[in-house]
Amino acid sequence: MSSAPPATTPEPVTPKVRRRSDRSGLYATVGAVVIVAILVGVGYGTHWYGLTSSSSSGGCPTGTTLQGAGAAFPAALVSQWVSGYTGDTGNLVNYAASGAGEGITDLTTKQVDFALTDEGLNGTESSALATAVGTVLTLPVTGGAVTLIYNIPGYPGPLNLTAAQIVGIYSGSTGYTAWDSTEFTVNNPGLVSSTALVYAVHRGDQAGMSYVFTNYLSLDNTTWATNIGTSILPAWPIFATGPGESGNSALIREVAGQAGAIGYTDLYDAQSHKLPTAHVENPHDQFIAPAVSSTTSAVNDIYAADPSSFPASDGNWASVTFVNAPGTTDYPLATIVYAMVPENPGAGHTASAIDAEVLVQWLHWTLTTGESFNSTAFPYVNPPAALVTEALAALSNMTYNKGTIPTCS
Amino acid sequence: MGEVGAGPDPRAAEEVSRPRQRAHLFRLLGGVFRGGATTAAVGVLLLAAALVVLLATNAFASIERFGLGFLTSDQWDLGRNQFGAGPAIAGTLLTSALALVFAIPVGLGVALFSSEIAPPRLRTPLAYFVDLGTAIPSIVYGFWALQVLKPIMETSVQPALAHIPGTGFLFSGPPLGLGVLTAGTILGIMIVPTIAAFSREALRSVSRQQREAALSLGATRWEATRMAVLGPAAPGIGGAIVLGLGRAIGETIAVALVIGGGYLVPTSLFSQGSTIPSTLVNGFTDSFGLERSALYELCIILLAISLAINLGARLMLREAGSSVRRGTESTQRRRRARPAGRIAATSTGSGLGVPRWWSVLVAQQRARRLRRKIVYGFVLVLVVGAVIVAAYPLASLVRTAVENGGTAVVHPSFYTSEPPTSCGVNQTVCPLGGIGPAIEGTFVLLGAASLIGLPVGLLTGIFLSEYGRNRLGRTIELTVDVLVGVPSILLGVFVFAVFLQFDPLDARTALSGGAALGMLMIPIVAKATTTSLRTVPAAVRDSALALGFPRHRVTARVVLGSCRSALVTANLVALMRAGGEAAAVIVTAGTSQYWAEGLRTPTAALATFIYYALTTNASPNYTSDAWGAALVLLLIMAVISLLARLALRTDSVSASE
């Protein structure tokens, strides 16, 4: 044993390999985390709108956002409604006008609080919807005309079209491929000098307007009814002309940009894009122009003809149609837009009692204040007064998790 | 030890155990680090498996109902519940083939120009330009195609093509401007930068000595390239082409906007049609039940095609890597058609071990000087023409964006306002609104995506390069390679399906949008991280280890630190890609006209704003806002590309260290 004191083991030194920028990796990481946190934070909390959070302090709730989806047909009116409703109540409504089909799907998969549609649900859709969210209320909120827009250079109009002619156009039948053919000049003599070919533009996505349009064609033409029928996405006859546009905006753009094109859209879009609309033949063999007056009378005449045939608000509206109204000056392609909402919103997307309250408030608003928004600037029509009253009554049957929803005006 | 009789010296014990403690700590940290990286990497593998499984499960109803006939049926009848994939598959294959017909010559021309012929000062701007082409989002290409390409096709190109005699069946039908030909053209324009970039890499990776040897013997640039470079680079170029094809197959938005949308098998190039991605993006959100199941089946078909192409591309690129190493041998082995000239063979015969092409070259040189000059001139014209053809659409796109969006972009209120409300039919002055929520929404989505994508991608990349030299690592690397090429619409559909299954209320929110974009970013970041880490010389790693750094610190501080800027670049590129993404966001985050209220509501985004302006929202003032949004997107992409390129220059470790 050595008598020397134990050799102290020198303290192991971790070698510090110092490069000039040794800490910069750390700074970079920290910086990156900070930036990412800022990005998320900016998104999460900022509200430049001035509203902070949902609150229900004594009066009506404010600051809630409802989610809606559905038809593009009433999109312009809904935009005005939302603006007015937000001004009146401080609640927001995010409406995605991506098509009636998507609205129904979203309601079924619980993505939205309400859907707007201008089509009747078929059996599969309604049973899927019922399974997912229970009883569904169908509330008529607005309506209007489905118009046929066209672009025939050199022809100022008006373009008179019968159902048979429209079927011919959209089937690509012989004789309907050029605008100067005898099939068209028989009631449009001015077309003789046209050189344009016929391009039948249609919607390639699930569109309520396709439903109304094909409903009209099916009711007036047995060949169409047998072969293609009524649908939000019909199996359009395959022919070389006529793109299947996805979306209302795309359809309008195509018609406006293609000489000889014909398509269908709502009256507001036709007028705001300055596109001429066809005069469509009604059951009295009159060619009627789409207008607020002819559409209002159509909607009211249909109701007046058989009021008892209309289902209750929680019933099945699949067979309801406002096409081919009985009056002599009625426009034959009228439609009503329905708000579809679960009778018990707690089963659907509506996540809280406050949301349910705001949903009822919004629906009430559209059925009362919203009905006064129609004007020459926004050419939509109101549903028949009796149906609106019935819809307002149905609102009071809505419950949230089996409890009544407090009404708030 | 201490004095006789005393216990062990506590100080000595402490001094001995401290390094042991530290060693324990390092081992623990190393284990945690390695565990984290492995978890991330295995997570990516599981995610890819989940993608396949979930799509297949959801497609089952349709597979059961329609069987194999689904592949050939051309119905899409909602009323009769009959669905078939025939037109979608045909459209996908046809448009991609057309895209290749356009993009292969142009892309190769650009690659040749930028690697061989361009003066050195021009090469970097050209490379940046090609980068920009890759960075421009699909939605902006689609917007330009609708605005500029469609009228050109409709009024000039299609009528001209129809007049070519003998091509009746190819160019029959009315010149709509929309259709398979236009879709193929815009696809071709979009994949030119991809093919050009990868081909250029392939060309540049061939050893310079071959080329210089040929040049020194008097070969023209073209001949030197043809003989010494194209051979070894061929697999790499092949891989580039296949990668471009993979991109074309998965391209969604631009095609959906110009293909016309009819569900029919195209009978001529002017026909409208559909591709699988366009059918998905148009119909997925609308559908439910059997139709949605049929769409899932389309997803499976697209995934299968995409997998096959990506695997093929990776195999070719791997072959390319090895063939460049064998470069000299392969050029030696290739036989020239012309016999070696007698004149040269004597002095530089193969007896000296000189490649045979050298003797051939010397013989040719004396015999056909003029002809060679003409050929070179001709090739030069072709290549410069290719560059012009590649540059023109990009220049036109930028110009259109500036023209149409310029007025909106200069107003500060454009960035702080919400989108405009509808305008009355007779109103002459409509509210302009702005894209404030769209910009904020893009940031929200990118923030959420980064939280998932960056860490997971980084850790996966670290795993692959540091701990992945085994079968698991190779499998995961292949998965990552393949995931890079998976069409983004599939990722969006997958994430939406996952949320619908487990958390339906959040399926159409910024949360699911962020998750989809995060999934998009993971493979990009992982791949770039792996590549950058592998370029760090072994010497750096070894010397750090030799100095006693624990393994995890070697990776975290030394290796990552030395390729910092490459990593920053990778992250920027991934963010850029996610920022311009429309297809995946459409099916997940939906849309909103309001400022973001957190992650659990639908969110606006720049790319989807433009998409909805082009499809659903018909207000005229919306369209001019959309051009402003497109210009903003372009500017962001351009700035990020520039930053990425500049960052690469400041990398602190170069191969020469």
Side-chain angles (χ1 to χ4, degrees), chain B residues 255-486:
Chain B
V255 172
L257 289 174
V258 295
I259 198 169
Y263 203 70
L264 52 108
V265 176
T267 46
S268 97
L269 288 185
F270 290 176
S271 292
Q272 48 170 331
S274 300
T275 63
I276 298 179
S278 82
T279 312
L280 284 173
V281 81
N282 286 338
F284 185 77
T285 45
D286 292 353
S287 63
F288 80 104
L290 188 63
E291 192 197 8
R292 184 166 276 195
S293 188
L295 287 172
Y296 276 113
E297 196 173 347
L298 276 183
C299 286
I300 296 282
I301 297 172
L302 182 63
L303 190 61
I305 299 177
S306 165
L307 276 175
I309 292 178
N310 275 314
L311 278 174
R314 294 297 154 187
L315 287 174
M316 291 179 89
L317 284 174
R318 205 168 289 184
E319 150 85 5
S322 56
S323 93
V324 163
R325 285 193 292 278
R326 304 190 314 257
T328 317
E329 310 160 28
S330 71
T331 48
Q332 274 180 339
R333 272 200 300 265
R334 283 189 308 127
R335 301 281 176 262
R336 305 302 305 165
R338 297 194 185 81
R342 278 177 219 95
I343 308 153
T346 48
S347 58
T348 55
S350 346
L352 283 176
V354 156
R356 190 166 297 197
W357 59 258
W358 192 359
S359 347
V360 171
L361 193 54
V362 174
Q364 282 180 335
Q365 186 183 4
R366 291 178 187 154
R368 299 181 189 82
R369 204 169 285 228
L370 182 64
R371 199 193 91 166
R372 290 166 52 227
K373 282 216 168 81
I374 292 176
V375 166
Y376 177 56
F378 183 64
V379 167
L380 197 62
V381 164
L382 279 184
V383 162
V384 171
V387 172
I388 294 177
V389 166
Y392 175 73
L394 294 183
S396 167
L397 192 150
V398 171
R399 196 192 74 165
T400 317
V402 170
E403 262 176 10
N404 292 326
T407 41
V409 161
V410 295
H411 287 122
S413 62
F414 185 64
Y415 303 98
T416 55
S417 314
E418 293 183 355
T421 48
S422 55
C423 194
V425 294
N426 293 323
Q427 215 167 315
T428 40
V429 180
C430 290
L432 273 180
I435 56 170
I439 295 180
E440 193 206 23
T442 303
F443 278 135
V444 172
L445 289 172
L446 285 182
S450 312
L451 284 176
I452 306 169
L454 298 188
V456 175
L458 195 66
L459 286 173
T460 309
I462 291 173
F463 173 82
L464 287 176
S465 73
E466 301 295 311
Y467 306 110
R469 289 188 197 99
N470 47 28
R471 193 178 306 161
L472 178 65
R474 281 196 294 277
T475 317
I476 296 180
E477 182 157 5
L478 192 62
T479 310
V480 166
D481 277 344
V482 161
L483 274 179
V484 170
V486 164

Side-chain angles (χ1 to χ4, degrees), chain A residues 220-302:
Chain A
D220 284 32
N221 186 293
T222 40
T223 325
W224 185 275
T226 341
N227 294 340
I228 298 137
T230 308
S231 169
I232 44 175
L233 182 60
W236 299 100
I238 294 173
F239 45 85
T241 67
E245 297 297 334
S246 185
N248 191 28
S249 170
L251 183 147
I252 294 171
R253 186 180 52 243
E254 179 59 17
V255 172
Q258 174 70 50
I262 181 170
Y264 52 89
T265 185
D266 56 285
L267 185 57
Y268 166 84
D269 281 310
Q271 289 184 347
S272 70
H273 288 261
K274 314 279 188 284
L275 290 167
T277 51
H279 295 198
V280 185
E281 191 185 44
N282 72 1
H284 291 267
D285 298 338
Q286 302 288 312
F287 292 105
I288 308 292
V292 171
S293 51
S294 57
T295 315
T296 313
S297 63
V299 157
N300 288 321
D301 285 348
I302 289 266

